Amino acid sequence: MFDAAAGALDWLGVLVFAASGALAAARKGMDLVGFALLAVATGIGGGTIRDVLLGRLPVFWVGEPLWLLACVGAGLAVFVVAPRLRGAGTGRRLRLLLWLDAVGLAVFAVTGAETARLAGAGPVVSVAMGAVTASFGGILRDVLAGEQPVVLSREIYVTAALAGAAVFVAALPWLGREGAMALGFAAGFGLRGAALRRGWSLPRTGPPRP
Amino acid sequence: MFDAAAGALDWLGVLVFAASGALAAARKGMDLVGFALLAVATGIGGGTIRDVLLGRLPVFWVGEPLWLLACVGAGLAVFVVAPRLRGAGTGRRLRLLLWLDAVGLAVFAVTGAETARLAGAGPVVSVAMGAVTASFGGILRDVLAGEQPVVLSREIYVTAALAGAAVFVAALPWLGREGAMALGFAAGFGLRGAALRRGWSLPRTGPPRP
Amino acid sequence: MFDAAAGALDWLGVLVFAASGALAAARKGMDLVGFALLAVATGIGGGTIRDVLLGRLPVFWVGEPLWLLACVGAGLAVFVVAPRLRGAGTGRRLRLLLWLDAVGLAVFAVTGAETARLAGAGPVVSVAMGAVTASFGGILRDVLAGEQPVVLSREIYVTAALAGAAVFVAALPWLGREGAMALGFAAGFGLRGAALRRGWSLPRTGPPRP
């Protein structure tokens, strides 16, 4: 939003999240409009909730409808492509999506924290808003699909967003905005990537009880 | 909200949506307060989320508590009547509710889009806000009742809201507000009605996978 | 928030609600971050939704991050303690939590209604906002945990919040703020406590139907 590079990554993040929303619609057997709606909710949901909590209203996409249209486009693209994704190569494509999603996560953690800072929030709230921006799209996707949110129970996900946002906020006085954004992105993406690669997860208290 | 006719239809829409929320509470065996809460959430939920996203705060019913009271009244009415609805004639009454719900859908699509336009939104966002107003009450109802939102997976519902809002926005420069509202309402109601009558639905990619 | 006593009770309410969110995370086998997130959502969710609806933005904890940190702390404390809570004494501790939760419920009903009144809302909306503040944290907890919200279907819960807020609003012109807050708290806590003690519940229309 503030830099060309961050802007391009923001677009990538929104599109990847939109695609993951549409894939959830595919798993649930939804129709065309279900694909579009879940793509929109997942793609721009995190930034929307961040804007509402901060009082940045109307929310960011009301004045820039291209975000909305891009999510719908990503949803329709998945609708066309999804039936062919079954069978050979599915595992590899899912893997690719998880890595793209990690890019989106790391971008949103940093840009979400910076947006909060620019709106006057202190460091703790800025870090929290980075995590909100990065993870609430996925939470919304799962709630709308009628599932328990995976980001709350699987692997290192919100943790990576918190880490990326915290590194950005901590590095800001030392490295300036560009440097801090790069370092925060690296921290968030690195942690999420390591979790994906090695199956890292945080300690739990035990298996779910019914 | 702006016209006597649209205002009367708005009331009808809110009451019908409130009743559908209370019927969901009945299916779930909730108590009196559950009926009232689901009636309120379903009746004014869509307009509330629209107002928050547009930054029209406080939301519309804070200054006009009659909306709240009307939803509670509809919920209590269903609570009294619901136990007698079982058995003979249930199918016909459900059918009536679906048709009233279609009226609410078409009204909210048009008035939601007009509210967004008056708040300064462009055409794309106005159409989206029409769909939000018409469908998020029902989504909220299903999430609160612990179910996957039906509007995302069944028949032509959000599509009809989008169509009604789009026709209204497109016709506005040509027909003026009254004419465009009438045409938008006809488009939304006609499409939803045709879907109800003929069992129309949008293409899907396949059955839900567990 | 406005009084030392109410302020201390507000803190108690937030911490108890945060603990109940973390206990839900424990039941679902979530990781450390899941505990923190559910603690935050349950602890400050009700007040956050109240602030958004009233247009008191940014929401209250953006300028006071201690609320956020306190919820995270409560979540981590439950994470450490939860595995030892199984076995002997669990029933008694759950009982204690229910009673502390009743304190939080009664506090939030009164302070939520007062916050709405100070923001310019009339009596009906103030009572509704008391109930929103007291019950939406728990609703959010259950939705995020993938369950049907218990406050909508079990015992006298929202009813107690409505009663406490209504007594406060009705007594305000007669008793002044301190007196009305005390009476409202007593009404909400008394009703919820009686429901806990005697298993009171509101009439229903029948068992849930699948």
Side-chain angles (χ1 to χ4, degrees):
Chain A
M1 299 180 183
F2 357 88
D3 288 326
L9 284 174
D10 250 347
W11 275 103
L12 178 63
V14 166
L15 290 175
V16 172
F17 278 168
S20 85
L23 286 172
R27 274 198 307 277
K28 292 287 174 172
M30 292 183 179
D31 65 18
L32 205 64
V33 168
F35 273 69
L37 253 172
L38 255 83
V40 167
T42 313
I44 63 180
T48 298
I49 292 175
R50 174 203 63 207
D51 281 0
V52 169
L53 296 174
L54 290 171
R56 300 175 76 239
L57 297 177
V59 298
F60 71 98
W61 48 267
V62 165
E64 299 178 70
L66 215 52
W67 294 106
L68 216 55
L69 295 173
C71 290
V72 170
L76 300 188
V78 170
F79 184 80
V80 171
V81 172
R84 294 170 210 170
L85 281 183
R86 293 180 197 172
T90 308
R92 218 169 47 211
R93 286 193 200 100
L94 180 65
R95 204 83 198 143
L96 174 65
L97 186 83
L98 281 174
W99 281 93
L100 287 173
D101 178 86
V103 174
L105 168 84
V107 173
F108 282 177
V110 169
T111 59
E114 171 69 347
T115 302
R117 195 184 66 86
L118 292 176
V124 169
V125 171
S126 294
V127 170
M129 288 296 171
V132 163
T133 311
S135 56
F136 269 66
I139 290 176
L140 213 52
R141 174 195 62 211
D142 295 346
V143 168
L144 289 176
E147 295 182 336
Q148 185 185 330
V150 293
V151 306
L152 296 182
S153 55
R154 212 172 58 185
E155 298 170 347
I156 290 182
Y157 193 96
V158 180
T159 314
L162 287 169
V167 165
F168 165 71
V169 168
L172 198 55
W174 310 93
L175 301 183
R177 202 164 70 176
E178 275 74 25
M181 289 183 82
L183 201 64
F185 175 84
F189 183 74
L191 188 51
R192 176 70 187 138
L196 281 177
R197 227 181 156 71
R198 306 184 188 183
W200 279 1
S201 60
L202 288 181
R204 294 165 195 232
T205 56
R209 280 168 283 154
Chain B
M1 299 181 186
F2 359 87
D3 287 327
L9 283 174
D10 249 348
W11 275 104
L12 177 63
V14 165
L15 290 175
V16 172
F17 278 171
S20 85
L23 285 172
R27 272 198 308 277
K28 291 287 174 172
M30 293 184 178
D31 65 18
L32 206 64
V33 169
F35 273 70
L37 254 171
L38 254 82
V40 168
T42 313
I44 63 180
T48 298
I49 292 175
R50 173 203 64 205
D51 281 0
V52 168
L53 296 175
L54 289 171
R56 299 177 75 239
L57 297 177
V59 298
F60 72 97
W61 47 268
V62 164
E64 297 178 71
L66 215 51
W67 294 106
L68 216 53
L69 295 172
C71 290
V72 170
L76 300 188
V78 170
F79 183 79
V80 172
V81 173
R84 293 169 211 169
L85 282 182
R86 294 179 199 171
T90 309
R92 216 170 47 211
R93 288 193 199 99
L94 180 65
R95 203 83 198 145
L96 174 64
L97 186 84
L98 282 175
W99 281 94
L100 288 174
D101 178 88
V103 174
L105 168 85
V107 173
F108 283 177
V110 169
T111 58
E114 171 68 347
T115 303
R117 195 186 66 88
L118 292 176
V124 169
V125 170
S126 294
V127 171
M129 288 296 171
V132 163
T133 311
S135 56
F136 268 66
I139 290 177
L140 213 52
R141 175 195 62 212
D142 295 346
V143 168
L144 289 177
E147 294 182 335
Q148 184 185 329
V150 294
V151 304
L152 296 182
S153 55
R154 212 173 58 186
E155 297 168 346
I156 289 183
Y157 194 95
V158 181
T159 314
L162 287 168
V167 165
F168 165 70
V169 168
L172 198 54
W174 309 92
L175 302 183
R177 203 164 67 176
E178 275 72 27
M181 288 183 82
L183 199 65
F185 175 84
F189 183 74
L191 188 51
R192 176 70 187 137
L196 281 177
R197 229 180 154 71
R198 307 185 187 184
W200 281 359
S201 60
L202 289 180
R204 293 164 195 234
T205 57
R209 280 168 281 155
Chain C
M1 299 178 185
F2 0 87
D3 288 325
L9 282 174
D10 248 348
W11 275 103
L12 178 63
V14 165
L15 290 174
V16 171
F17 278 170
S20 85
L23 286 172
R27 274 198 307 278
K28 291 288 175 171
M30 293 184 178
D31 65 19
L32 204 63
V33 168
F35 273 69
L37 254 172
L38 254 83
V40 168
T42 314
I44 62 179
T48 298
I49 292 174
R50 175 204 62 206
D51 282 0
V52 168
L53 296 175
L54 289 171
R56 299 177 75 240
L57 298 177
V59 297
F60 71 98
W61 47 267
V62 165
E64 298 179 70
L66 215 51
W67 294 106
L68 215 55
L69 295 172
C71 290
V72 170
L76 300 187
V78 170
F79 184 79
V80 171
V81 173
R84 294 170 211 170
L85 281 182
R86 295 180 197 172
T90 308
R92 217 169 47 211
R93 286 193 200 98
L94 179 66
R95 204 81 196 144
L96 174 65
L97 186 83
L98 281 174
W99 281 94
L100 288 174
D101 177 87
V103 174
L105 168 84
V107 173
F108 283 176
V110 170
T111 58
E114 170 68 346
T115 303
R117 195 186 64 89
L118 292 176
V124 169
V125 170
S126 295
V127 171
M129 288 295 173
V132 163
T133 311
S135 57
F136 269 66
I139 291 178
L140 212 52
R141 173 195 63 211
D142 294 346
V143 168
L144 289 177
E147 293 181 339
Q148 185 185 329
V150 293
V151 305
L152 296 182
S153 54
R154 212 173 58 185
E155 297 168 349
I156 290 183
Y157 194 97
V158 180
T159 313
L162 287 168
V167 165
F168 165 71
V169 167
L172 198 55
W174 311 91
L175 302 182
R177 201 163 71 176
E178 274 74 26
M181 288 182 82
L183 200 64
F185 175 85
F189 183 73
L191 187 51
R192 176 72 186 136
L196 281 177
R197 230 181 155 72
R198 307 184 187 184
W200 279 359
S201 60
L202 289 180
R204 295 164 194 232
T205 55
R209 280 168 280 156

